[in-house]
Structure formats: structure tokens, C-alpha cells
Amino acid sequence: MKYSKATNYALHTMLFLAKEAEYKPIGVQQLAEKQNVSPTYLSKILTKLVKEGMINSSSGANGGYTLSHNWEDISFLDIIHAIEGKSSLFDCCLYSNPECVIKDVMLSAEEKLEEELRNKKISDIVKN
């Protein structure tokens, strides 16, 4: 299973903001340089995180991005859903068949993965 590069950048951005920018906004240029990615591309990712209420943006000379007030509660799964959406990773070719045992196995495994990601918070990593 593979998540998009956008999810990778989103997770690393959130971790960077949690470690470095709890009170002071950090600009997209600095965030992009930290990850060696285009600021334009990262801006699109940041827009999704802002839309989901995980980070705040402010414009102007001292503007940039900061974590939302409840950032300690943001899980890996929250960030992944903000970027990837909430659809299933597995797309069964026989999805309309209620007796599909392959679908049952895959969805069960996906639920376990999501539970693990739901229980892991960005703040857990920052504390360690």
C-alpha cells in the first residue's frame, strides 16, 4: 500500500510546525525548503490542511502557517484523510457481491490500520 507524496509532505509539515512553530507563523517558502519541495505544490497541500482546520494561515509580512488550537488531538489518520479523502484503499472488482471474502479480508485489515493511525497523534511524536 502506498500513500501519495502529498500525504508524506503533509505529515512532515505538521510535525515540523509542531516542533518549530507553535506560536510563530512559518512561511510556505521555509516549509518547502525544509522538505525540498516546490512552494507552489506545498501551498496546495497546506490549503487542504487549513480547510480541515488543522492549521491556520495568516497573510502579510509576518504571515505564515501555525497549528490550530487543538493540534494535540490531530491524528495521523486525520491528516491522511485531509489529503487522500476517506474512501477505502481497496476497490473490489466484485464489490456488489455481498459474499466476497476478499473484500471482507481487505476491509478488516484496513480497519485495523486506520485504528492504529487514529491512535497515533502528531503530539505523541513531539513529546518523544
Side-chain angles (χ1 to χ4, degrees):
M1 145 182 12
K2 183 174 182 176
Y3 290 108
S4 69
K5 286 184 179 182
T7 294
N8 184 15
Y9 293 130
L11 289 165
H12 282 91
T13 296
M14 291 296 289
L15 182 59
F16 180 72
L17 289 173
K19 286 182 173 180
E20 306 292 332
E22 195 168 346
Y23 304 105
K24 179 184 167 211
I26 297 191
V28 67
Q29 186 67 37
Q30 184 179 356
L31 291 168
E33 287 172 5
K34 187 83 173 163
Q35 299 182 68
N36 197 28
V37 64
S38 156
T40 304
Y41 180 61
L42 189 59
S43 289
K44 293 175 184 176
I45 295 166
L46 293 168
T47 298
K48 290 181 179 184
L49 297 174
V50 168
K51 183 180 175 186
E52 292 297 319
M54 295 180 194
I55 60 174
N56 302 309
S57 67
S58 56
S59 55
N62 295 320
Y65 296 90
T66 56
L67 294 168
S68 68
H69 67 280
N70 65 338
W71 72 271
E72 293 94 348
D73 298 328
I74 297 172
S75 72
F76 275 58
L77 186 63
D78 294 330
I79 298 165
I80 292 167
H81 280 168
I83 304 303
E84 303 284 345
K86 296 182 180 179
S87 63
S88 176
L89 296 173
F90 181 69
D91 187 19
C92 182
C93 60
L94 301 175
Y95 203 81
S96 61
N97 181 352
E99 298 172 11
C100 180
V101 293
I102 301 293
K103 175 186 74 174
D104 292 342
V105 170
M106 296 302 288
L107 293 180
S108 175
E110 188 174 324
E111 287 171 9
K112 291 174 184 169
L113 172 63
E114 285 190 357
E115 184 63 27
E116 179 71 22
L117 293 169
R118 185 179 295 110
N119 290 329
K120 193 60 158 176
K121 313 282 187 210
I122 290 293
S123 59
D124 295 336
I125 294 175
V126 174
K127 290 174 188 173
N128 294 333

